[in-house]
Amino acid sequence: MSSLEIEIPTEAIGMLPIDHEQERIRDFSHALKRLQVIRPAEIDTDFTDERPVPFAIKRFLAFEHEDTLTFYTNPDVLGAPVDRVRFSPRISRVGKQSRHGVFFGDLQLGPGLQVPVAVKPHLDEERDSCLDEYFNTLAITQLGMSTLVELGFIYGDREEDPAYSITVLQEGLSTLDSVDWSSFYPDIEEHPGMLALWKGAAYQAAKLHAPGNRSHGDLAGRNVGEKGGALSDQTRVILLDWESATIGGQPPRDAEVRYSHSHSDITTIVESMCRSTDVDFRAGIGVFAGKSGDWWQGFRAVFLDSYLERRRQILDQTAADAATVRDVNEELAELEKSLQQDVAMYQDLALVS
Amino acid sequence: MTDFGEVRHDSADTSTTSRRFNLANDSIGSHDFWIEVPTGTHRFISLPAPTTRQRQLRKPLEEDGLILGHRRASEAAATETYSIPASARPLAYEAPVTREGAYSYTDEELFHDLGDLLGSLSHKYGDDPQMVATDVTRVLALVDFVQPGERQVYFTPGVERLLVPRPPEVSAEGQYAEQLETVFSGRFDEVAIYFRMGFAEAAAAARGE
């Protein structure tokens, strides 16, 4: 043993911290060895259904689902048949705030075909969320939102079967939780690149909420990414992780329904910006945490003004009827009032703590 | 100041790498760009050909694989080009990563490797020791999604043009630590020990220990 190596006493081994990440990767490799079927998932989402994605999942479970552990591939991405799958992990800094424990690596899908992937485990009672993730992501892509590309998902019939959703890794993509925001606020005008990223996020959220019957469901900073990253001359923001999304098949009944979708998402952004990165429970990305000043005005300048401006632009461009215009204006007025209260609450909480 | 720089939405050059990732350095005339070809999108850094002295300074860094990417130009070309990974980005925009496991690149590992990289530079030139003349965070790049065992921090192409002889009374380690502390403030204080360990290990390796 060299002088730099440390000998660990046998009795101390039980006290070593468990490497959950290594466990997750080991479990995934075991799951790949247990795969009995690899086949394309053929069910399409029908947007004339009242609840398009839950209905698509029902049809999948009724007509396509295998009894054994199966890798269902996205036929739009993997055209050729696949007969075996192997995984080799990669080391990264991004994606570490994912509450699911996303990890990255390469999937070897037979001779000569290797795809870099991000793997998201859906464990125990959350197994079925991998179906939500896959079908929501496909649906939101069909509706014109840009996001990650689904490669497929692993799912089995038995309760002990693991479940994973697998997306194509975009090496140039990084999420807002991988940015150090500590120097951004209050001197936001001195950081035009960072401001442009938030403007892109606001525009994406506005595009999602404009029809009034859609929400992301978990719009924290870790689920907002810069697509293309390096390989773009402009800031191109996308939203990620659609497993909690709601996608309605019918127009919203009234302003209240519209508000329920937009407020749930934007208040999550607010919380993410206001909370510190240093806490274990519901860590934020630390835009406002630890800073003095009027956080509400800061939030308006960084995100909300761009969001509201874009929502009104879309309303103008879509030649909406008078009732829709009234509903959207009512929704946005109520949204602004609620968010002001939300930001004030987080600033008060920060002062107390 | 930490930012992704000025945003140019009206840029006519559609292949310039986004400001958040851009590793170009105006002071040495380097340009960070990408091109689309049928086999995919590839990213490059180009810069004017180096002088003979700069080539000499670059050689040991290149031999040890400490410079980002693969140099593609011939020795005789007026400019040279490096093919670099899509995920490579400037060090200064890194958020903290302090937990997780064997497949996470944590702050402790990052700053240890930075110490090792900068320590290697300090001991590369024998009786003619060199140091980085500019803010050191401007010549360091981080690559994500690497295979286990692969290096994650590198010098950016053209670093040899920013080296100056180190006066005997100047501590390169102290100067680099000061610059990292300016950029990362309290975060660096927490992991400075790992930086110093990396620097010391590089020195020991250079002495053949």
Side-chain angles (χ1 to χ4, degrees):
Chain A
M1 190 176 77
S2 82
S3 60
L4 288 174
E5 289 177 324
I6 301 167
E7 189 175 6
I8 301 167
T10 313
E11 64 275 15
I13 288 176
M15 299 163 65
L16 290 175
I18 299 167
D19 186 342
H20 295 290
E21 186 179 46
Q22 197 152 24
E23 281 188 349
R24 288 194 295 269
I25 290 171
R26 189 194 58 208
D27 290 346
F28 180 63
S29 298
H30 286 169
L32 293 181
K33 285 179 189 160
R34 284 181 46 214
L35 281 179
Q36 295 188 18
V37 182
I38 303 172
R39 50 160 290 188
E42 304 283 4
I43 292 288
D44 278 332
T45 304
D46 181 353
F47 289 99
T48 62
D49 285 336
E50 189 181 342
R51 297 167 65 223
V53 171
F55 284 8
I57 292 173
K58 271 188 185 171
R59 282 198 299 278
F60 165 79
L61 292 172
F63 302 119
E64 259 201 284
H65 176 38
E66 304 275 352
D67 291 342
T68 53
L69 190 64
T70 301
F71 180 14
Y72 298 94
T73 59
N74 180 351
D76 293 336
V77 179
L78 274 180
V82 175
D83 54 4
R84 72 185 170 91
V85 187
R86 289 176 63 189
F87 179 72
S88 49
R90 295 200 199 184
I91 296 172
S92 74
R93 277 175 73 81
V94 306
K96 298 304 171 189
Q97 283 199 40
S98 160
R99 66 187 169 91
H100 293 273
V102 174
F103 50 87
F104 306 94
D106 295 295
L107 269 191
Q108 287 175 315
L109 302 157
L113 180 57
Q114 180 169 295
V115 183
V117 293
V119 181
K120 178 174 167 181
H122 299 257
L123 300 174
D124 306 325
E125 67 274 12
E126 292 184 1
R127 290 174 69 247
D128 290 352
S129 64
C130 92
L131 303 177
D132 299 328
E133 171 94 42
Y134 179 79
F135 285 99
N136 272 330
T137 305
L138 255 52
I140 210 73
T141 306
Q142 285 176 273
L143 291 170
M145 298 287 296
S146 184
T147 186
L148 295 178
V149 176
E150 288 283 341
L151 188 70
F153 60 99
I154 291 174
Y155 188 75
D157 204 32
R158 296 175 308 169
E159 286 209 357
E160 64 267 30
D161 280 339
Y164 298 94
S165 52
I166 303 170
T167 52
V168 178
L169 174 64
Q170 298 215 1
E171 293 189 35
L173 179 137
S174 58
T175 49
L176 296 196
D177 64 355
S178 67
V179 176
D180 187 344
W181 295 104
S182 56
S183 62
F184 175 52
Y185 176 81
D187 303 317
I188 57 174
E189 297 300 335
E190 290 178 25
H191 302 80
M194 290 179 161
L195 204 50
L197 205 49
W198 282 110
K199 191 173 184 177
Y203 278 17
Q204 285 299 304
K207 185 178 177 184
L208 174 69
H209 296 148
N213 59 0
R214 297 170 197 164
S215 60
H216 179 279
D218 186 18
L219 202 51
R222 63 177 177 273
N223 291 329
V224 180
E226 188 184 4
K227 189 183 182 184
L231 305 181
S232 168
D233 64 330
Q234 296 194 1
T235 304
R236 291 196 302 167
V237 172
I238 59 170
L239 310 182
L240 322 169
D241 192 351
W242 293 91
E243 75 167 64
S244 305
T246 302
I247 300 168
Q250 305 294 323
R253 187 186 65 235
D254 53 22
E256 205 171 316
V257 172
R258 289 177 176 278
Y259 167 86
S260 68
H261 287 106
S262 56
H263 180 256
S264 64
D265 279 348
I266 308 297
T267 196
T268 307
I269 284 263
V270 166
E271 181 180 8
S272 191
M273 293 168 97
C274 291
R275 289 182 69 88
S276 165
T277 57
D278 295 335
V279 293
D280 288 333
F281 181 71
R282 295 180 77 83
I285 56 174
V287 173
F288 298 122
K291 304 288 178 60
S292 56
D294 186 339
W295 288 9
W296 167 243
Q297 291 306 324
F299 176 67
R300 287 197 67 113
V302 171
F303 184 93
L304 187 62
D305 288 348
S306 299
Y307 173 85
L308 295 174
E309 179 197 7
R310 189 69 181 146
R311 286 290 307 272
R312 291 183 179 118
Q313 277 175 356
I314 294 171
L315 188 64
D316 290 344
Q317 288 163 359
T318 49
D321 56 42
T324 304
V325 172
R326 185 196 61 224
D327 283 355
V328 171
N329 284 330
E330 193 180 333
E331 173 212 351
L332 297 182
E334 199 56 43
L335 182 66
E336 203 171 334
K337 272 192 276 181
S338 305
L339 291 171
Q340 186 167 9
Q341 290 169 3
D342 295 342
V343 174
M345 178 189 74
Y346 285 115
Q347 187 157 16
D348 287 347
L349 282 173
L351 284 174
V352 170
S353 62
Chain B
M1 182 181 75
T2 301
D3 185 35
F4 317 138
E6 293 293 330
V7 182
R8 295 185 310 166
H9 288 297
D10 57 345
S11 169
D13 181 4
T14 56
S15 65
T16 300
T17 297
S18 83
R19 293 297 166 144
R20 182 171 173 195
F21 284 72
N22 204 303
L23 293 166
N25 188 332
D26 290 343
S27 71
I28 56 171
S30 65
H31 179 48
D32 187 337
F33 65 101
W34 53 275
I35 56 171
E36 296 251 19
V37 293
T39 54
T41 306
H42 300 274
R43 185 177 168 195
F44 301 94
I45 288 180
S46 70
L47 63 175
T51 62
T52 305
R53 166 72 174 158
Q54 287 165 348
R55 278 186 219 281
Q56 287 167 350
L57 289 172
R58 180 173 67 189
K59 195 175 176 194
L61 301 177
E62 213 165 51
E63 283 172 353
D64 285 355
L66 305 184
I67 297 180
L68 180 71
H70 300 285
R71 186 161 55 84
R72 300 168 73 93
S74 68
E75 293 286 314
T79 59
E80 56 184 21
T81 306
Y82 288 76
S83 167
I84 65 168
S87 69
R89 55 186 187 265
L91 184 68
Y93 310 146
E94 284 304 302
V97 174
T98 52
R99 290 183 294 278
E100 275 287 355
Y103 297 98
S104 301
Y105 194 53
T106 62
D107 275 13
E108 288 82 356
E109 291 164 309
L110 169 64
F111 283 96
H112 173 276
D113 290 354
L114 287 175
D116 184 68
L117 185 66
L118 292 165
S120 299
L121 174 76
S122 294
H123 295 92
K124 276 275 175 287
Y125 303 103
D127 296 339
D128 181 23
Q130 303 288 312
M131 65 184 297
V132 178
T134 180
D135 173 3
V136 74
T137 61
R138 295 192 64 192
V139 299
L140 297 169
L142 187 141
V143 179
D144 218 338
F145 305 117
V146 303
Q147 305 288 345
E150 267 186 78
R151 173 177 287 281
Q152 285 200 255
V153 288
Y154 294 89
F155 291 115
T156 53
V159 64
E160 69 277 359
R161 297 138 210 248
L162 296 162
L163 298 180
V164 293
R166 175 172 63 80
E169 70 278 11
V170 171
S171 157
E173 182 187 353
Q175 190 152 314
Y176 297 146
E178 210 170 281
Q179 291 169 351
L180 290 168
E181 195 168 8
T182 304
V183 173
F184 292 100
S185 58
R187 270 179 65 198
F188 181 71
D189 294 342
E190 290 174 22
V191 291
I193 182 70
Y194 295 94
F195 174 78
R196 295 189 191 287
M197 278 168 58
F199 208 95
E201 284 168 20
R207 291 192 300 266
E209 292 172 13

